[in-house]
Amino acid sequence: MAFLGLFGNYDKPGPGVSKDEPPKAAPIRFFEIFARKFSKLVQLNLIFIMPTLVALVLMFLIYLYPTHFGISLSGGAITIDGWATFVAPLPLILLSPFVAGLTIVTRNFAREEHAFVWSDFWDAVKGNWKYFLLNGAICYVVFTILMFSIIYYYNMAAAEWFYYVPLWLCVLFSLIFLFAQYYLPVMFVTFDLKFTHAYKNAFIFTLAGFGRNILLTLIFAGLLMLFLFLPPLNIVVFLYAFLFFFIAFSFTSYLINFTVYSVIDRYLIQPYNRMRAGEASEEAPAQEEDFSGLFAQIPEEAEEGEDRYVYVNGKLVKKSQLKDGEQSE
């Protein structure tokens, strides 16, 4: 793929970085890495497009199957195509194992490590497909139930106001579940965790990285709104097709992993490294999320006495709970 090197050959060794040079701000690092790895991100996106196109073709074939059924809401006032809404998306579950390949490469880029795009992609798929496939099935079931519930309660709320209560509960849980999905892929490829432990950690991270999760969601929502409301001109359609084939999926994965990895590093990797180094958890400095922006730096210390989570046997546990458990023993 020689044409992908048009932005320069960044694999050649450079002069290096001085040890005395202060660390650059996260936004600068984000765009520097993005520019440096752009050609590899394009390669990564083209690899991921192959199973994506297969999944889209399968969805289209399922949609064409003459077994459509309607679901009536609000006493028959509204009818949705249940086959197209809930059955046709099933092939997306088969696409989920390939997210492992996206994640492993963009995670390495986010922490400024080398990655062999082709081999690392497929090695990650082969080594993690079970967890990703299971998670894909869970996502399908959860979002299908929530989608139907939100549509149902939204239409019922037009007649009875108290239906707004379950409606907003469904919206809230949808956001929490979405936030958890920002963390699960990188945990699956980084740690040897039980599936349930990874989910527990991910839900904890919905609060630990709350500001980052909100801004990530706002960015994606803004891009979606831009996609929906731009006029369907030829140049706009061409731009969408270009982004879809060459950068959309790899950039999304890179953005997520660059944003959330520092939270995972603080709560999982650093405590694990301290334990391996033989440091007592009592002596480890407490840390607290001090979020002031999507790429805000993680502070090194928090005020004394603040409770925090520590990594113990593949799980995040509050330090206070750990103390209580030790005392009860």
Side-chain angles (χ1 to χ4, degrees):
M1 296 186 181
F3 74 95
L4 295 178
L6 60 92
F7 287 85
N9 184 357
Y10 295 104
D11 293 328
K12 293 182 179 180
V17 179
S18 172
K19 294 187 296 182
D20 299 327
E21 183 177 338
K24 296 180 180 179
I28 296 177
R29 288 191 295 107
F30 175 85
F31 290 108
E32 280 189 347
I33 296 172
F34 178 71
R36 192 165 64 246
K37 300 294 185 180
F38 184 82
S39 62
K40 291 186 178 293
L41 287 171
V42 172
Q43 295 176 37
L44 179 63
N45 203 84
L46 289 172
I47 296 172
F48 188 75
I49 279 296
M50 294 187 290
T52 300
L53 292 177
V54 173
L56 292 177
V57 169
L58 290 175
M59 289 175 62
F60 181 70
L61 294 176
I62 293 175
Y63 176 81
L64 293 179
Y65 198 76
T67 317
H68 291 245
F69 58 90
I71 299 177
S72 298
L73 300 173
S74 301
I78 298 176
T79 302
I80 61 175
D81 188 340
W83 182 264
T85 305
F86 303 116
V87 180
L90 274 171
L92 292 178
I93 298 176
L94 301 178
L95 182 62
S96 56
F98 300 96
V99 176
L102 269 182
T103 303
I104 195 73
V105 176
T106 56
R107 182 211 64 182
N108 282 9
F109 289 167
R111 61 188 192 184
E112 300 190 68
E113 294 180 356
H114 180 72
F116 295 100
V117 177
W118 178 265
S119 59
D120 287 352
F121 180 95
W122 294 110
D123 287 345
V125 173
K126 289 186 289 186
N128 300 276
W129 68 269
K130 292 181 181 180
Y131 272 18
F132 277 85
L133 187 63
L134 178 58
N135 187 54
I138 291 174
C139 287
Y140 170 80
V141 172
V142 170
F143 281 117
T144 296
I145 293 173
L146 289 172
M147 183 190 307
F148 176 81
S149 300
I150 289 173
I151 294 173
Y152 174 78
Y153 290 128
Y154 176 79
N155 286 279
M156 295 300 294
E160 299 289 345
W161 67 267
F162 59 82
Y163 280 103
Y164 280 110
V165 175
L167 170 64
W168 286 109
L169 287 176
C170 289
V171 172
L172 177 61
F173 185 76
S174 298
L175 284 175
I176 293 173
F177 192 80
L178 175 63
F179 291 170
Q181 296 306 312
Y182 294 153
Y183 297 91
L184 281 168
V186 70
M187 282 197 291
F188 287 156
V189 302
T190 304
F191 302 104
D192 184 16
L193 294 172
K194 292 183 178 179
F195 189 83
T196 54
H197 290 170
Y199 251 87
K200 179 181 178 181
N201 293 349
F203 281 115
I204 292 174
F205 285 142
T206 64
L207 295 178
F210 183 75
R212 297 165 185 264
N213 304 334
I214 287 291
L215 277 182
L216 270 176
T217 305
L218 290 177
I219 289 173
F220 293 137
L223 293 175
L224 178 61
M225 297 296 288
L226 190 64
F227 172 78
L228 293 176
F229 289 104
L230 276 179
L233 304 176
N234 290 337
I235 188 172
V236 174
V237 174
F238 174 79
L239 176 62
Y240 287 158
F242 176 84
L243 294 175
F244 177 81
F245 280 96
F246 291 101
I247 198 65
F249 297 105
S250 59
F251 175 78
T252 299
S253 180
Y254 169 64
L255 174 60
I256 291 173
N257 286 321
F258 186 92
T259 305
V260 307
Y261 189 78
S262 56
V263 180
I264 292 175
D265 178 70
R266 184 209 308 178
Y267 287 110
L268 290 180
I269 297 176
Q270 291 181 19
Y272 176 74
N273 288 338
R274 286 196 293 267
M275 286 192 297
R276 291 199 63 178
E279 295 180 13
S281 60
E282 292 292 333
E283 298 175 359
Q287 296 173 326
E288 179 184 3
E289 176 79 1
D290 182 16
F291 180 77
S292 58
L294 177 60
F295 303 107
Q297 297 284 353
I298 297 293
E300 292 298 326
E301 296 184 357
E303 295 180 3
E304 186 177 356
E306 290 289 338
D307 199 4
R308 67 183 182 90
Y309 289 96
V310 294
Y311 179 66
V312 178
N313 296 328
K315 294 186 290 185
L316 282 175
V317 182
K318 278 189 175 182
K319 188 176 178 183
S320 60
Q321 294 177 350
L322 186 62
K323 290 181 180 179
D324 294 341
E326 291 173 348
Q327 292 173 359
S328 62
E329 295 175 0

